[in-house]
Amino acid sequence: MTSIRMTKKKKILITGFEPFDGSSFNPSAQLLDWLNLQTFDFEIHTLLLPVSFTQAFPLLDELTTNINPSAVLLTGYAQTRTELTIERIGINWVDARIPDNDGLLLEAQKILNHGPDGLFTTLPVLQLIEMAKKSGCSAKVSTSAGEYVCNHLLYLYLTKYSLIPGTFIHLPGSQNYDIFFQGIHAIISQI
Ligand code: PCA
């Protein structure tokens, strides 16, 4: 008797964020435009998210449910960092320094009252770093996605989608993003 093994078709969902904190620039938004000009031999879906505690996750949740991707890469901007940073954990905590783009300021509180304190990301972080490095891009692991909208999104994603591997990548401050976009391209191609 022959057995048929069903493997899930490769379909990557990648998100970025709109500009925030009075800036007109967010490289994670530009990353999505750049990726949409590349060709891949698998499906990619891009989603630009508002920097909003209340809107970002519901939008991600809706698209994730609709398309059922094989992996999810969330991305955002961390201006003070110098390398691509791949997040190891999302924490059940928000303590924003500035309001989100809706004017909402969430300070020193849990994201989910009865949620776990933290959840590890579910893509192989060290392997992703190696993939980026092989493409010539500097990358390292991060154990803090911050206490703002990016961590909030990552934490909520991890609580709901334990079966769809995902992580968050912060883009650094830079004059030239090409190498970092190539690094993310290499990651997407290999996961
Ligand atoms: N960076 C912020 C929110 C949006 C973004 O790109 C953060 O690190 O939380």
Side-chain angles (χ1 to χ4, degrees):
M1 202 170 82
T2 52
S3 71
I4 299 168
R5 201 167 135 252
M6 298 290 283
T7 47
K8 197 168 172 178
K9 196 168 142 231
K10 179 165 174 174
K11 193 191 288 182
I12 309 294
L13 171 59
I14 175 152
T15 71
F17 273 113
E18 289 173 352
F20 64 106
D21 197 14
S23 169
S24 57
F25 170 77
N26 190 325
S28 68
Q30 295 183 343
L31 167 73
L32 303 187
D33 294 338
W34 185 87
L35 286 171
N36 283 325
L37 296 173
Q38 314 299 311
T39 45
F40 296 94
D41 55 8
F42 51 88
E43 245 180 79
I44 74 157
H45 294 256
T46 58
L47 174 66
L48 181 64
L49 293 169
V51 180
S52 163
F53 287 115
T54 54
Q55 294 180 65
F57 181 68
L59 289 166
L60 170 65
D61 192 14
E62 191 187 356
L63 189 61
T64 307
T65 301
N66 284 344
I67 68 172
N68 189 23
S70 51
V72 173
L73 264 195
L74 311 169
T75 75
Y77 184 31
Q79 199 186 352
T80 56
R81 297 187 185 177
T82 55
E83 292 163 280
L84 215 59
T85 44
I86 308 193
E87 302 298 340
R88 169 74 78 196
I89 190 167
I91 59 167
N92 188 11
W93 192 250
V94 58
D95 193 5
R97 177 182 55 83
I98 50 167
D100 70 7
N101 285 356
D102 297 331
L104 178 65
L105 182 67
L106 295 182
E107 289 179 296
Q109 58 192 272
K110 284 189 168 184
I111 296 169
L112 294 179
N113 269 335
H114 303 290
D117 290 342
L119 286 167
F120 287 121
T121 56
T122 45
L123 276 164
V125 174
L126 298 182
Q127 284 176 35
L128 267 47
I129 290 169
E130 285 315 305
M131 292 167 191
K133 282 186 174 168
K134 271 193 196 135
S135 79
C137 166
S138 56
K140 68 176 187 185
V141 65
S142 162
T143 49
S144 174
E147 297 165 298
Y148 192 47
V149 178
C150 290
N151 175 71
H152 193 268
L153 179 74
L154 174 61
Y155 179 77
L156 291 176
Y157 175 78
L158 293 171
T159 56
K160 178 147 183 192
Y161 291 100
S162 59
L163 297 178
I164 304 179
T167 190
F168 198 104
I169 300 183
H170 271 107
L171 285 151
S174 175
Q175 299 297 325
N176 179 3
Y177 281 96
D178 207 57
I179 196 78
F180 297 110
F181 292 176
Q182 294 288 355
I184 290 178
H185 185 290
I187 288 172
I188 293 174
S189 301
Q190 289 165 65
I191 54 178

